[in-house]
Amino acid sequence: MKIALACHPTHGGSGVVAAELGMRLAARGHQVHFVSYERPFRLDPLASGVHFHEVEVTSYPLFRYPPYALALANELLQVVKREAVEIIHAHYAIPHSLAAVLARDMQPHGSVKVVTTLHGTDITLVGADPSYADITRWAIEQSDRVTVVSDWLGQATRNELAPDQELQTIPNAVDAAAFSPELADPTLRARFAAVDELLVVHVSNFRPVKRVADVIAAFAKGAAGIPARLLMIGQGPDLALAQEEAKKLAVEDRISWLGLIDDTAALLASSDLFLLPSESESFGLAALEAMASGLPVIATQSGGIPSVVSSGESGLLAPVGDVDQLAQHVRTLLSDAALRSKFSDTARQLAVEKFGWDRVIEAYENSYEELLSDGG
Ligand code: GMT
C-alpha cells in the first residue's frame, strides 16, 4: 500500500507513534510518505521505504497567522497525486485530520481514504476548546475511519464530541528492544547519582496537564531522608513552575534538569522509578516506555493510565493531585528493593507481552485494507 502520514514532528507521543508506525509499515513493504513541517524526531532519516515531504508555509504581510493547515492540505494533495497514495493516516485531529479530509476532497475523481488516529489532548483539550470543537467534530465525522489509542479516549470522544461516531481502539505499542533494561549504563547513571543513591525519573512536555509541580512535591516528600535523586527530562511551559517548586521545597540540589532528549532509552534503563502524575493521560506512552525499560511506574488513576500500568503489579496509582499518596508510593518503592525488583520484572513483562508492535501493525494494516477493499 502507499500511505501518507501526517503528524506533529515535535517531542510528544502522537509523533512518536506515527514515526514508529511508519518505519514498521515501510519495513513490511509499504511505501510510506511523512508530511509535516519538520522530520519527526523519532523518524530514522535512513529508514528505507520512508520518504519525508516538508510543508513550506509561506508568510504574506496580510497573514497575521500563516495558515499551516491549508499548506499541509495542499502538500498532502500533491503527494497523493504524485505518489498515487491510497491512504492518508492523520495523527491528532487538528490540524492533521482536517488537512487530510481537505486533501481527499480536493482530489478530482480520487479514491484516497482518510484514517484519523485520536491521541488524547486533541479531544480533551483542543477538542474541548470552543474555538476548535466544531471543526474537530467535523474532521472526525468526515474521516473514513477513526481510531483511538485507548477505550477511555473512545468514551471521552463520544461523551464530549461525537456521540454516534464509530471508533476502533488500537492501543499504542513499544519497541521492547529499543527500550530495555539491558541498556542500563553504569557510567551514565554515575553522572547523576552516587553508588548508594536511587534515581527517580520523569519525562514529559511540561504542559499543565502533566502536573510537573506534583512530580517535585511527591519526590520531595516521598524521598525525604532516602538517598535518591530526580531526573527531569523534557521542557515546556511549566518548567519554571517546577523549578520554583523545587526551590520552595529545598530539593533543587537533588534534581537534574536535562531538557529535551531525543533518545531517553539509556537514561530510563539506568534509573529506578518513573513518575507520571498527569491530570489526564489518554494512554501514557512515556509510562509504557519506562515499563519496557524495567521501571516501576507511579502515576495517577487518570484516563487510560490504568490500562497500561497495573496498580500493585507494575506500579502504584494515586488520585489526581493527591500528592500525599503519590509521595507514600514513592517512599514504598524507594525503600523496598525486593518490591521494586518484582515490579520492575512485571513492568517489563507486561510491556513485552501486552504492548508489542506486531499486533498493532497488523491492526492498522487490516484497517487500511478493509477501507480499500470495501470502498469505505
Ligand atoms: O501528552 C501530550 O500532550 C502529547 C500528546 C501527543 O499527542 O503527543 O500525547 C497524547 O498522545 C500519546 C500517544 O498516543 C499518549 O500516550 C498520551 O497519553 C497523550 N497525552 C494526553 O492524553 C495528555
Side-chain angles (χ1 to χ4, degrees):
M1 279 178 275
K2 293 181 177 176
I3 303 148
L5 286 162
C7 67
H8 293 296
T10 43
H11 290 75
S14 58
V16 168
V17 172
E20 298 278 354
L21 171 66
M23 289 189 286
R24 282 173 176 76
L25 287 168
R28 286 161 79 105
H30 303 293
Q31 200 184 95
V32 177
H33 297 271
F34 278 87
V35 184
S36 190
Y37 61 88
E38 234 171 61
R39 181 181 293 280
F41 84 99
R42 255 308 160 82
L43 182 61
D44 178 355
L46 301 178
S48 83
V50 173
H51 309 266
F52 172 65
H53 307 266
E54 184 178 335
V55 179
E56 303 227 5
V57 191
T58 313
S59 186
Y60 290 100
L62 198 59
F63 292 162
R64 183 156 172 202
Y65 305 107
Y68 175 66
L70 303 187
L72 172 62
N74 198 75
E75 182 65 25
L76 279 169
L77 177 61
Q78 298 306 312
V79 174
V80 165
K81 289 201 287 196
R82 204 169 52 234
E83 309 290 344
V85 163
E86 300 158 277
I87 298 279
I88 305 176
H89 190 167
H91 288 263
Y92 211 87
I94 299 294
H96 302 124
S97 175
L98 176 68
V101 166
L102 285 176
R104 179 197 64 195
D105 292 354
M106 280 192 288
Q107 191 201 18
H109 322 296
S111 58
V112 69
K113 301 289 180 197
V114 172
V115 176
T116 290
T117 292
L118 301 174
H119 280 273
T121 47
D122 43 1
I123 297 300
T124 57
L125 297 179
V126 181
D129 182 331
S131 317
Y132 297 112
D134 285 335
I135 202 152
T136 302
R137 181 184 306 107
W138 188 81
I140 290 171
E141 287 169 356
Q142 293 300 311
S143 299
D144 296 298
R145 181 158 294 205
V146 183
T147 76
V148 285
V149 298
S150 65
D151 289 337
W152 177 86
L153 182 59
Q155 203 49 54
T157 305
R158 281 193 207 92
N159 289 349
E160 283 159 41
L161 222 54
D164 303 322
Q165 181 65 44
E166 204 175 301
L167 300 164
Q168 181 186 4
T169 299
I170 303 182
N172 291 329
V174 66
D175 180 340
F179 288 89
S180 160
E182 286 179 16
L183 298 174
D185 177 347
T187 313
L188 180 66
R189 183 187 166 98
R191 282 168 53 189
F192 304 106
V195 271
D196 61 337
E197 284 178 322
L198 293 163
L199 209 44
V200 181
V201 60
H202 169 78
V203 182
S204 80
N205 49 29
F206 286 55
R207 296 207 196 116
V209 73
K210 302 294 174 181
R211 297 186 68 96
V212 282
D214 287 3
V215 176
I216 308 299
F219 172 77
K221 194 162 185 195
I226 298 175
R229 301 183 61 88
L230 175 63
L231 292 184
M232 294 292 281
I233 302 178
Q235 71 177 37
D238 279 355
L239 174 61
L241 177 83
Q243 290 177 330
E244 202 47 46
E245 186 77 358
K247 204 166 160 191
K248 191 175 100 196
L249 299 174
V251 284
E252 296 155 281
D253 58 340
R254 298 174 70 192
I255 302 176
S256 303
W257 307 89
L258 302 188
L260 281 183
I261 292 190
D262 282 355
D263 185 355
T264 53
L267 280 167
L268 288 172
S270 306
S271 302
D272 300 294
L273 188 61
F274 190 79
L275 261 179
L276 190 70
S278 306
E279 175 87 35
S280 162
E281 201 70 62
S282 69
F283 182 89
L285 186 61
L288 178 58
E289 291 181 342
M291 284 167 57
S293 308
L295 296 194
V297 172
I298 293 175
T300 38
Q301 272 148 357
S302 64
I305 289 181
S307 66
V308 178
V309 181
S310 301
S311 195
E313 287 186 300
S314 58
L316 294 170
L317 303 183
V320 173
D322 190 340
V323 171
D324 287 345
Q325 193 167 330
L326 286 165
Q328 187 51 53
H329 291 336
V330 169
R331 182 163 287 277
T332 300
L333 281 168
L334 287 185
S335 49
D336 187 339
L339 189 66
R340 224 172 38 244
S341 160
K342 192 169 144 223
F343 276 31
S344 160
D345 292 347
T346 311
R348 169 75 188 167
Q349 191 190 338
L350 286 174
V352 172
E353 287 174 5
K354 269 183 76 182
F355 296 101
W357 264 104
D358 287 354
R359 260 180 294 171
V360 170
I361 282 286
E362 275 168 28
Y364 280 120
E365 263 178 348
N366 290 342
S367 215
Y368 301 159
E369 273 160 13
E370 273 168 35
L371 268 184
L372 293 179
S373 65
D374 69 18

